Amino acid sequence: MKKYLFLLIATLFSIDIYAQSIDINVDVVDGFLNIPIQNAKVALLTADSVVVVDSAESVSFKDRQGNLLKERYVFHVDAQERDYLICATRQGYDNVWLPIHVSVQKDKNAVHTIKMRKMRDIALNYLYNSHYAILTSTLPFSADSMIC
């Protein structure tokens, strides 16, 4: 009897040990095309911007032809109610910050979606040169030249 009681208690403690972490799932997509973005760096920070996880694990979901269906980033964190910031960066896209609240009871299977937008590629040198060209190509108008 003592052996069964010991096994029961050991089982309960082991279940409690495995229940001490939670996964935060994040899908990163293009904000305009709504297609998954690969090779993004997704970091998890506390509400006061202290890094918890520098780079999330990524899982790719592909169809039979090898086309990318979804790119999911996963964080493993302690199971406690807490506020976090998720930061997603990718070359050619603007950085995105997403504040989330993790509740152990509700968020066991929640998936957060981050929509990234492409950077606007404007070269300041081009703007300056085009403005200069417009100013130099306009001829000054004189009302005296219109008199016949």
PDB file of all heavy atoms in Angstrom, residues 15 36 38 60 70-71 76-77 95 97 110 117 122-123 125 129-131 133:
ATOM      1  N   ILE A  15       3.778  15.542 -12.687  1.00  0.00           N
ATOM      2  CA  ILE A  15       2.829  16.300 -13.499  1.00  0.00           C
ATOM      3  C   ILE A  15       2.987  17.784 -13.206  1.00  0.00           C
ATOM      4  O   ILE A  15       2.985  18.622 -14.095  1.00  0.00           O
ATOM      5  CB  ILE A  15       1.385  15.825 -13.252  1.00  0.00           C
ATOM      6  CG1 ILE A  15       1.195  14.422 -13.835  1.00  0.00           C
ATOM      7  CG2 ILE A  15       0.380  16.790 -13.872  1.00  0.00           C
ATOM      8  CD1 ILE A  15      -0.111  13.782 -13.471  1.00  0.00           C
ATOM      9  N   PRO A  36       3.358  34.124 -45.219  1.00  0.00           N
ATOM     10  CA  PRO A  36       4.313  33.954 -44.125  1.00  0.00           C
ATOM     11  C   PRO A  36       5.690  34.522 -44.467  1.00  0.00           C
ATOM     12  O   PRO A  36       6.114  34.504 -45.621  1.00  0.00           O
ATOM     13  CB  PRO A  36       4.381  32.441 -43.924  1.00  0.00           C
ATOM     14  CG  PRO A  36       3.673  31.818 -45.051  1.00  0.00           C
ATOM     15  CD  PRO A  36       2.893  32.856 -45.759  1.00  0.00           C
ATOM     16  N   GLN A  38       9.656  34.152 -43.703  1.00  0.00           N
ATOM     17  CA  GLN A  38      10.697  33.274 -43.172  1.00  0.00           C
ATOM     18  C   GLN A  38      11.893  34.099 -42.712  1.00  0.00           C
ATOM     19  O   GLN A  38      12.067  35.248 -43.121  1.00  0.00           O
ATOM     20  CB  GLN A  38      11.177  32.301 -44.239  1.00  0.00           C
ATOM     21  CG  GLN A  38      10.270  31.135 -44.464  1.00  0.00           C
ATOM     22  CD  GLN A  38      10.892  30.142 -45.409  1.00  0.00           C
ATOM     23  OE1 GLN A  38      11.263  30.479 -46.514  1.00  0.00           O
ATOM     24  NE2 GLN A  38      11.015  28.904 -44.953  1.00  0.00           N
ATOM     25  N   SER A  60       8.482  25.448 -39.772  1.00  0.00           N
ATOM     26  CA  SER A  60       7.899  25.733 -41.081  1.00  0.00           C
ATOM     27  C   SER A  60       6.846  24.685 -41.411  1.00  0.00           C
ATOM     28  O   SER A  60       7.084  23.490 -41.246  1.00  0.00           O
ATOM     29  CB  SER A  60       8.966  25.731 -42.168  1.00  0.00           C
ATOM     30  OG  SER A  60       9.914  26.730 -41.930  1.00  0.00           O
ATOM     31  N   LYS A  70       3.000  28.274 -43.593  1.00  0.00           N
ATOM     32  CA  LYS A  70       3.033  29.016 -42.345  1.00  0.00           C
ATOM     33  C   LYS A  70       4.418  28.915 -41.735  1.00  0.00           C
ATOM     34  O   LYS A  70       5.076  27.888 -41.849  1.00  0.00           O
ATOM     35  CB  LYS A  70       2.001  28.432 -41.386  1.00  0.00           C
ATOM     36  CG  LYS A  70       1.788  29.219 -40.125  1.00  0.00           C
ATOM     37  CD  LYS A  70       0.761  28.540 -39.232  1.00  0.00           C
ATOM     38  CE  LYS A  70      -0.584  28.584 -39.905  1.00  0.00           C
ATOM     39  NZ  LYS A  70      -1.659  28.136 -39.041  1.00  0.00           N
ATOM     40  N   GLU A  71       4.849  29.987 -41.106  1.00  0.00           N
ATOM     41  CA  GLU A  71       6.103  30.004 -40.359  1.00  0.00           C
ATOM     42  C   GLU A  71       5.738  30.379 -38.930  1.00  0.00           C
ATOM     43  O   GLU A  71       5.264  31.487 -38.681  1.00  0.00           O
ATOM     44  CB  GLU A  71       7.080  31.007 -40.958  1.00  0.00           C
ATOM     45  CG  GLU A  71       8.446  30.991 -40.341  1.00  0.00           C
ATOM     46  CD  GLU A  71       9.309  29.827 -40.805  1.00  0.00           C
ATOM     47  OE1 GLU A  71       8.970  29.163 -41.799  1.00  0.00           O
ATOM     48  OE2 GLU A  71      10.330  29.579 -40.150  1.00  0.00           O
ATOM     49  N   HIS A  76       9.415  29.135 -25.201  1.00  0.00           N
ATOM     50  CA  HIS A  76       9.110  28.335 -24.022  1.00  0.00           C
ATOM     51  C   HIS A  76       9.426  29.198 -22.801  1.00  0.00           C
ATOM     52  O   HIS A  76      10.582  29.567 -22.594  1.00  0.00           O
ATOM     53  CB  HIS A  76       9.945  27.054 -23.989  1.00  0.00           C
ATOM     54  CG  HIS A  76       9.849  26.251 -25.247  1.00  0.00           C
ATOM     55  ND1 HIS A  76       8.716  25.552 -25.600  1.00  0.00           N
ATOM     56  CD2 HIS A  76      10.743  26.052 -26.245  1.00  0.00           C
ATOM     57  CE1 HIS A  76       8.930  24.954 -26.756  1.00  0.00           C
ATOM     58  NE2 HIS A  76      10.153  25.255 -27.167  1.00  0.00           N
ATOM     59  N   VAL A  77       8.392  29.532 -22.022  1.00  0.00           N
ATOM     60  CA  VAL A  77       8.582  30.399 -20.853  1.00  0.00           C
ATOM     61  C   VAL A  77       7.940  29.765 -19.626  1.00  0.00           C
ATOM     62  O   VAL A  77       7.142  28.831 -19.739  1.00  0.00           O
ATOM     63  CB  VAL A  77       7.981  31.810 -21.088  1.00  0.00           C
ATOM     64  CG1 VAL A  77       8.716  32.527 -22.201  1.00  0.00           C
ATOM     65  CG2 VAL A  77       6.500  31.735 -21.380  1.00  0.00           C
ATOM     66  N   ASN A  95      10.459  47.139 -38.101  1.00  0.00           N
ATOM     67  CA  ASN A  95      10.362  46.371 -36.856  1.00  0.00           C
ATOM     68  C   ASN A  95       8.955  46.494 -36.292  1.00  0.00           C
ATOM     69  O   ASN A  95       8.332  47.550 -36.378  1.00  0.00           O
ATOM     70  CB  ASN A  95      11.366  46.879 -35.826  1.00  0.00           C
ATOM     71  CG  ASN A  95      12.794  46.662 -36.262  1.00  0.00           C
ATOM     72  OD1 ASN A  95      13.070  45.950 -37.216  1.00  0.00           O
ATOM     73  ND2 ASN A  95      13.717  47.277 -35.561  1.00  0.00           N
ATOM     74  N   TRP A  97       6.552  45.717 -32.799  1.00  0.00           N
ATOM     75  CA  TRP A  97       6.481  45.413 -31.371  1.00  0.00           C
ATOM     76  C   TRP A  97       5.047  45.058 -31.046  1.00  0.00           C
ATOM     77  O   TRP A  97       4.125  45.815 -31.369  1.00  0.00           O
ATOM     78  CB  TRP A  97       6.916  46.615 -30.545  1.00  0.00           C
ATOM     79  CG  TRP A  97       8.358  46.950 -30.709  1.00  0.00           C
ATOM     80  CD1 TRP A  97       8.921  47.701 -31.694  1.00  0.00           C
ATOM     81  CD2 TRP A  97       9.423  46.516 -29.878  1.00  0.00           C
ATOM     82  NE1 TRP A  97      10.276  47.769 -31.512  1.00  0.00           N
ATOM     83  CE2 TRP A  97      10.610  47.055 -30.401  1.00  0.00           C
ATOM     84  CE3 TRP A  97       9.487  45.732 -28.726  1.00  0.00           C
ATOM     85  CZ2 TRP A  97      11.844  46.834 -29.825  1.00  0.00           C
ATOM     86  CZ3 TRP A  97      10.734  45.527 -28.153  1.00  0.00           C
ATOM     87  CH2 TRP A  97      11.889  46.070 -28.700  1.00  0.00           C
ATOM     88  N   ALA A 110      -2.868  29.621 -27.509  1.00  0.00           N
ATOM     89  CA  ALA A 110      -3.071  30.862 -28.248  1.00  0.00           C
ATOM     90  C   ALA A 110      -1.937  31.092 -29.239  1.00  0.00           C
ATOM     91  O   ALA A 110      -0.783  30.784 -28.961  1.00  0.00           O
ATOM     92  CB  ALA A 110      -3.160  32.032 -27.280  1.00  0.00           C
ATOM     93  N   ARG A 117       5.289  45.156 -42.232  1.00  0.00           N
ATOM     94  CA  ARG A 117       5.171  45.952 -43.457  1.00  0.00           C
ATOM     95  C   ARG A 117       6.549  46.195 -44.051  1.00  0.00           C
ATOM     96  O   ARG A 117       7.510  46.391 -43.328  1.00  0.00           O
ATOM     97  CB  ARG A 117       4.497  47.287 -43.165  1.00  0.00           C
ATOM     98  CG  ARG A 117       3.062  47.099 -42.770  1.00  0.00           C
ATOM     99  CD  ARG A 117       2.420  48.439 -42.578  1.00  0.00           C
ATOM    100  NE  ARG A 117       1.045  48.238 -42.188  1.00  0.00           N
ATOM    101  CZ  ARG A 117       0.028  48.733 -42.842  1.00  0.00           C
ATOM    102  NH1 ARG A 117       0.222  49.491 -43.887  1.00  0.00           N
ATOM    103  NH2 ARG A 117      -1.195  48.507 -42.432  1.00  0.00           N
ATOM    104  N   ILE A 122      13.380  54.913 -49.744  1.00  0.00           N
ATOM    105  CA  ILE A 122      13.540  56.259 -50.277  1.00  0.00           C
ATOM    106  C   ILE A 122      14.964  56.707 -49.970  1.00  0.00           C
ATOM    107  O   ILE A 122      15.363  56.781 -48.814  1.00  0.00           O
ATOM    108  CB  ILE A 122      12.532  57.238 -49.642  1.00  0.00           C
ATOM    109  CG1 ILE A 122      11.107  56.803 -49.961  1.00  0.00           C
ATOM    110  CG2 ILE A 122      12.797  58.647 -50.114  1.00  0.00           C
ATOM    111  CD1 ILE A 122      10.056  57.641 -49.279  1.00  0.00           C
ATOM    112  N   ALA A 123      15.691  57.001 -51.006  1.00  0.00           N
ATOM    113  CA  ALA A 123      17.046  57.492 -50.826  1.00  0.00           C
ATOM    114  C   ALA A 123      17.009  59.010 -50.744  1.00  0.00           C
ATOM    115  O   ALA A 123      16.459  59.676 -51.621  1.00  0.00           O
ATOM    116  CB  ALA A 123      17.920  57.037 -51.985  1.00  0.00           C
ATOM    117  N   ASN A 125      19.402  61.112 -51.105  1.00  0.00           N
ATOM    118  CA  ASN A 125      20.185  61.696 -52.183  1.00  0.00           C
ATOM    119  C   ASN A 125      19.338  61.842 -53.436  1.00  0.00           C
ATOM    120  O   ASN A 125      19.407  62.844 -54.132  1.00  0.00           O
ATOM    121  CB  ASN A 125      21.419  60.826 -52.453  1.00  0.00           C
ATOM    122  CG  ASN A 125      22.384  61.510 -53.389  1.00  0.00           C
ATOM    123  OD1 ASN A 125      22.384  62.728 -53.501  1.00  0.00           O
ATOM    124  ND2 ASN A 125      23.201  60.714 -54.061  1.00  0.00           N
ATOM    125  N   ASN A 129      18.491  65.378 -55.324  1.00  0.00           N
ATOM    126  CA  ASN A 129      18.859  65.593 -56.720  1.00  0.00           C
ATOM    127  C   ASN A 129      17.641  65.872 -57.587  1.00  0.00           C
ATOM    128  O   ASN A 129      17.706  66.695 -58.487  1.00  0.00           O
ATOM    129  CB  ASN A 129      19.629  64.393 -57.261  1.00  0.00           C
ATOM    130  CG  ASN A 129      21.022  64.319 -56.678  1.00  0.00           C
ATOM    131  OD1 ASN A 129      21.558  65.323 -56.226  1.00  0.00           O
ATOM    132  ND2 ASN A 129      21.594  63.129 -56.667  1.00  0.00           N
ATOM    133  N   SER A 130      16.519  65.198 -57.348  1.00  0.00           N
ATOM    134  CA  SER A 130      15.333  65.446 -58.162  1.00  0.00           C
ATOM    135  C   SER A 130      14.764  66.829 -57.858  1.00  0.00           C
ATOM    136  O   SER A 130      14.297  67.524 -58.752  1.00  0.00           O
ATOM    137  CB  SER A 130      14.281  64.363 -57.933  1.00  0.00           C
ATOM    138  OG  SER A 130      13.854  64.383 -56.587  1.00  0.00           O
ATOM    139  N   HIS A 131      14.824  67.263 -56.598  1.00  0.00           N
ATOM    140  CA  HIS A 131      14.359  68.596 -56.233  1.00  0.00           C
ATOM    141  C   HIS A 131      15.247  69.648 -56.901  1.00  0.00           C
ATOM    142  O   HIS A 131      14.768  70.643 -57.441  1.00  0.00           O
ATOM    143  CB  HIS A 131      14.377  68.759 -54.707  1.00  0.00           C
ATOM    144  CG  HIS A 131      13.944  70.105 -54.233  1.00  0.00           C
ATOM    145  ND1 HIS A 131      12.650  70.538 -54.360  1.00  0.00           N
ATOM    146  CD2 HIS A 131      14.642  71.118 -53.656  1.00  0.00           C
ATOM    147  CE1 HIS A 131      12.558  71.763 -53.875  1.00  0.00           C
ATOM    148  NE2 HIS A 131      13.764  72.142 -53.433  1.00  0.00           N
ATOM    149  N   ALA A 133      16.944  69.299 -59.666  1.00  0.00           N
ATOM    150  CA  ALA A 133      16.692  69.268 -61.105  1.00  0.00           C
ATOM    151  C   ALA A 133      15.420  70.038 -61.443  1.00  0.00           C
ATOM    152  O   ALA A 133      15.357  70.732 -62.450  1.00  0.00           O
ATOM    153  CB  ALA A 133      16.579  67.826 -61.591  1.00  0.00           C
TER     154      ALA A 133
END
